């Protein structure tokens, strides 16, 4: 029995949420993943969404791009919180995905995250934030995660001070193009 | 038994397709209308779409705004041609509605019309165009309709020539603000 | 002690979430409201956000427009789930508000709702959805609310069938311009 | 005598509809292709469009980018259904092509598909959908095609379950950059 | 025999170029106006454009909105300079009209003006600028017109200095809402 | 001798900076205003900008809309700091004005403010911020202004607590439509 | 003495108008080129624009990107026709350049071409179109150029018919990635 | 004690302001750099901003992308002038960053620069422009810098005249792809 259900419209979206999954693993949150399209496998999508609560899922993460109907279609079949992750596209970097997920009519909410890589990561963290309302253990991990993020920046500042900006930038650019 | 099925996500969209319906009546094409949301009444929407072909419908017109999932959700449940009409919104005049209907993934096509009033009218005409492929009677009406449209412009040119542009503009503006 | 904290960047945004508040009242969910700007009263905003969990709040709804930093600034000070509601603006109907709330960096998620009136309503419903994960009573109310929404549409269809579309549209338009 | 006529504004758009053509071949639908610009060879375009119905064509697919006038210009010369496929451009990924095809004035409809590769594929499928209204053989193929699409997703889910997400993603990325 | 030909896609666009026509009259430049749509009266449009040079026209002003194909369609039929005036629409104030006129393929240029009222005025002035290359009389009028425009600003500055900004603003706002 | 020079492309922009001027008066900062267009009175604009520093001006506020070249053209003629205020337009609420002022090439900076009313107010405050670097008196006024802004919000919260949200909203809406 | 003056805001824009220059050479139209920025060398720009007519220039082509003020600034100093060519940028493919050139205030027109390569080519052709109003020789060349463009398309159709679409596409793609 | 404080939301933004830093060094202006996020290290950001004036900083440059809250959050804690530099993103080249920095509410101004490389350079030059109001030495350097920029263009024109455009373009393109 998993806490989080992840649904993707296409297997080609899987790499875009690799970091999302890693966060869930890092926090020890159980999850299941399904590939199911709002349009190509509507019955599977409805059934999965409809039975999500009964199966014990607590939060759903739905990933889609373009006319990204999946998060809204899932939200129409469940009273669990649904988090939508827009996939980047050529249309202004994913404005189609963003607006298709975001502009839901009143009655059926979807919680939209940023387009791109940080959207996937934040979907995982937001799901954990929801679970952590009543889970002390997760809350402590969440606080530790925030602390570590802050410490990374502190480390970067030390490195910047000791190396100087020029060396720091050169090192960053070498990482990108080895 | 109707030829055209019209489905709207909300009754507030009804006034936006008044002219669409008038065209169908003018051409003597039978139609049925249903209000059914992709999100608020998903089961009704699926059933209606799934049974559309068996009921004898030949073309579907789906009207929606914002995260306008309705046309795509209907298209996922039928192999009939689905025409999507985006409703105007404050987001750049309906860019959210347009992209949510237009950017369908490969496999499940939706034929998108313009946002606004002309989109509704053209949905009706496009549906008739489809029916007219194998319906001589409709084809003749379609050709007559085009001819009349052209004659209206011809009449406007005569009026413009006889009145001069200044009077013509004054008359147009008086119509708007009586 | 309230379950939901609502924070607005300006009192002029209050009317935009009237329906949001009504939903909370309808569901019997306790809430507190504070006007506090990310930029004009940063200390008050930080303190309120920082003490939110200790005070017993479970979910935060943050409403802002333009360079809508408030939801992100609040999320940076708490590990509670933060829901952002973008206020409509002249920039493409609120694209500035949407992107400023949505495009959060990885680490600090904000759950973004639609711009406009449905965004406020859905923020309330999404907050309730979160609470309902472990609150049977709320879950029943949520299911009843969805059922009622569906029944309204069913009623509309009956009215449409009995009146015909022309009368229905006339009635709708008379409501708008009495 | 072909069922579908494909018209492109430039031979450089040919590769963008390779998958469109493959679908037609796969379904055994006859087609003809012509390169003809709305602006550079207007007479040829008019003549081709005007004689399309008499030649036996039933549906037209028109592909164009930028100020993509071709679908509208063709639609002005025929009462056959015209499907417009916007080519991707640097302007927000093809927003110029999309709006130039989509925003047709009332009277002359064009059925617009998505920008990019899925737009071409869906143009073919939509044309087939139209033909399948009165062609049982095509309808069966269409249903089989949908079934196969759904089965592919089902296979993906099996692969995902047996391999785990990490291996699946690695395999996907190796495919892209061998 | 006129120097300038003005073509509009619809008579409803006439009021939008009232100021354009007034400029032509003020400069004593002869013109003819025709209402002719790229889509609804394509033959009339082609004939008019094709015969424009032989009739003695020297510059063409084409006004259109939405999928504003008219300027490009006219330019395809003549080697006269064609000036396109985009009509404002709800899509971001006319971005559809602008891009449909502007993004012409190489080979058939259209000179695009601003959307809105200043676009019409500038179309007239640009046409005059073209004629004035080899017309001393028009050149003198053009220079006088620019001088007068500058003098108006100089008068405004005098008024602003003598009245103070507060009275000036009050007067401006009274003009708007009498 | 004034500290701030305000330049506007058109007298119709004057009402849009009424609040900007009021801020300057409130802070006791001296200013001069000139109406001068980048395009209609280029010589006057150049001379004014070129002589600005010698006249004793310390900061320039330039207001313009559409192809809003004025701030950049002024910045090209002076080494004083130039603040650009974009005027709202129908193009997505002023996206044309924003980008024309903002996207200056390297070498000639312009400090861009928000489109709309808050842009004018912030231009005044930013100019004061610059002067306050070395002016203790202004700094104290700036701090007092910020404090007052925060106190207003505190007053609003008291009013909200005592009246309740429903009365507060009613009062706000009565103010708008008396 | 040249007919056409080309002005560029930066030498890095030169490659973007290589095809523009080639067209002028092909038509035997004399031209001069100057690099001069609206902001970095304003005096040179003004002088060049102001003396353009006296020097014998007949049409000006101004190329710029971003806050592309150059065409408007040149147009403010001359009564010659000015053609603006927007350079592509990362902002939606050059929407900043397009709007900065296009949205000129009434009084000072600039004729805007498409962003990207076709904009440069069409600037040359539009300049030639202007000169051809009263130049029979150029007119004949213009007509020949159009004819050749149409013949190229005719050749492409022959090649497509003889080779089939698959080979044609393969050949096109080999050209791109040899 | 430094004159300029540079704050970045992430170390990955460092390379984007390399040229900004070089300008400051070239002008001999002292500066300090800190990496501090509005969301990940809010306390550090507040403290740094709050103590900026006391430490002797005179101008702040804040660099951020996406929901780029950093410049506004810093401006809320200081009465020093804050210059915001939007980092380019896939959303239309950085429109999210631009609007998040630009659309500040009245009361707390941020001076926004262009997205991309020229934004960083101009942030440095604008900071220097502010310091140069009362610093003759810096003013002379600023004037010299402008002169040199103009001379570069003059050198380019000489090179262009002597080499011809074809060789010049070839040389430019060889530089890019050596």
């Amino acid at each position: 029995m998993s806490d989080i259900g992840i649904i993707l419209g296409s297997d080609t979206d899987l790499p875009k949420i690799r970091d999302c999954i890693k966060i869930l693993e890092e926090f020890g949150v159980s999850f299941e993943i399904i590939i199911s399209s709002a349009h190509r496998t509507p019955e599977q999508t409805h059934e999965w969404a409809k039975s999500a609560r009964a199966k014990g899922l607590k939060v759903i993460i739905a990933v889609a791009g373009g006319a990204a109907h999946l998060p809204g279609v899932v939200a129409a079949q469940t009273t669990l919180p649904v988090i939508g992750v827009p996939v980047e596209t050529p249309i202004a970097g994913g404005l189609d995905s963003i607006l298709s997920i975001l502009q839901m009519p009143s009655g059926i909410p979807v919680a939209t995250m940023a387009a791109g890589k940080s959207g996937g990561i934040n979907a995982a963290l937001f799901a954990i934030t929801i679970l952590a309302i009543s889970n002390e253990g997760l809350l402590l991990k969440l606080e530790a995660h925030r602390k570590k993020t802050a410490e990374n920046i502190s480390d970067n500042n030390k490195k910047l001070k000791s190396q100087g900006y020029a060396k720091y930038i050169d090192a960053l650019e070498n990482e990108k193009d080895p």
Side-chain angles (χ1 to χ4, degrees), chain A:
Chain A
M1 216 191 71
S2 304
D3 281 334
I4 312 280
I6 302 175
I7 184 165
L8 303 107
S10 160
D11 69 337
T12 56
D13 294 340
L14 263 176
K16 280 146 203 165
I17 57 152
R18 196 205 291 255
D19 293 313
C20 169
I21 301 172
K22 280 188 184 160
I23 295 274
L24 295 178
E25 292 181 333
E26 196 186 315
F27 276 80
V29 174
S30 59
F31 60 90
E32 61 167 83
I33 314 180
I34 187 170
I35 302 162
S36 192
S37 162
H39 305 113
R40 288 179 277 207
T41 55
E43 316 307 340
Q44 185 192 23
T45 300
H46 298 165
E47 242 119 279
W48 185 83
K50 226 180 230 165
S51 61
R53 185 182 280 272
K55 267 197 303 186
L57 292 180
K58 290 186 183 134
V59 182
I60 290 172
I61 295 172
V63 184
H69 298 183
L70 188 64
V73 160
V74 166
Q77 302 281 358
T78 182
T79 48
L80 290 177
V82 176
I83 304 170
V85 182
V87 171
E88 290 181 348
T89 70
I91 301 289
L95 203 60
D96 49 355
S97 316
I98 290 173
L99 295 174
S100 295
I101 296 177
L102 188 81
Q103 291 292 89
M104 288 293 288
S106 63
I108 310 291
V110 169
T112 313
M113 297 290 131
K117 199 177 137 184
S118 67
I121 294 172
N122 279 352
L125 289 171
F126 192 71
I128 290 165
T129 302
I130 291 175
L131 299 179
I133 294 177
S134 57
N135 182 328
E136 196 91 359
L138 268 184
L139 180 57
L140 291 175
K141 284 185 195 166
L142 204 55
E143 284 166 353
H145 183 266
R146 289 225 176 166
K147 215 170 156 189
K148 213 185 89 191
T149 307
E151 280 165 7
N152 285 345
I153 290 180
S154 172
D155 290 350
N156 288 342
N157 275 313
K158 277 177 206 146
K159 208 163 60 168
L160 176 61
K161 200 157 267 173
S162 71
Q163 295 185 353
Y165 80 91
K167 274 196 188 160
Y168 199 118
I169 292 176
D170 287 348
L172 274 177
E173 297 196 326
N174 284 340
E175 267 173 55
K176 258 197 285 181
D177 321 299

